[in-house]
Amino acid sequence: MFYQLKIAEEKDLGKLIGFVEKAGVSSEGFESLIDCFVMMENGDHEVVACIGVEPVNEYGLLRSLVVSDKLKQAHILTLFQSIQTLAEQKGIKHLFLVTNKEASVQFLSLMGFEEIEQSSIPNQLLTLEHMKGSLEQSNVMIMVKSS
């Protein structure tokens, strides 16, 4: 199967929101962040994966990672590399993420992310609604990768 990566545009907003909401993930704020999302489409232009970054100065919060079960780990790796490149282009030096999935920690560690204590999150990121909501979940781990 052929897949194509692209930075989301306004015309992609509807199908991107539909894709993440179908997976039970919040699409809050997508309108203002659309150019901060990388999406992967199949040959029929259907979204099969996406990830976004919410920037705050030199910090960014990775959010809304949704991946079709048809994709292989190599596709997910490419998706992560693409969002890191986009973040760098936007002047983000420190990428943060919140996960409650122990299984993803090993993969993220291989990608260069390190687990940190909640007290190490910059105050600027704590103002983001998505960060506040993520931290309310149980068994969350915070990870960061600095460029």
Side-chain angles (χ1 to χ4, degrees), residues 69-96:
D69 57 6
K70 297 175 183 76
L71 295 182
K72 296 181 174 30
Q73 197 164 0
H75 294 114
I76 301 168
L77 180 67
T78 303
L79 191 67
F80 263 90
Q81 290 168 332
S82 298
I83 196 67
Q84 289 176 88
T85 300
L86 179 61
E88 287 171 16
Q89 290 170 353
K90 294 191 173 289
I92 296 170
K93 293 180 175 40
H94 311 282
L95 273 179
F96 288 79

Side-chain angles (χ1 to χ4, degrees), residues 40-56:
M40 187 177 283
E41 294 179 328
N42 64 17
D44 297 324
H45 300 286
E46 297 167 329
V47 181
V48 294
C50 69
I51 189 170
V53 61
E54 191 165 352
V56 181

Side-chain angles (χ1 to χ4, degrees), residues 54 56 59-63 95-98 116 118 120-137 140-143:
E54 191 165 352
V56 181
Y59 304 108
L61 175 63
L62 289 181
R63 57 173 289 186
L95 273 179
F96 288 79
L97 63 85
V98 180
I116 61 167
Q118 211 164 320
S120 299
I121 301 171
N123 288 335
Q124 295 166 350
L125 286 181
L126 293 172
T127 65
L128 300 177
E129 289 302 319
H130 194 77
M131 177 64 93
K132 289 181 207 172
S134 296
L135 293 175
E136 290 172 2
Q137 298 174 21
V140 295
M141 292 159 278
I142 298 97
M143 300 185 82

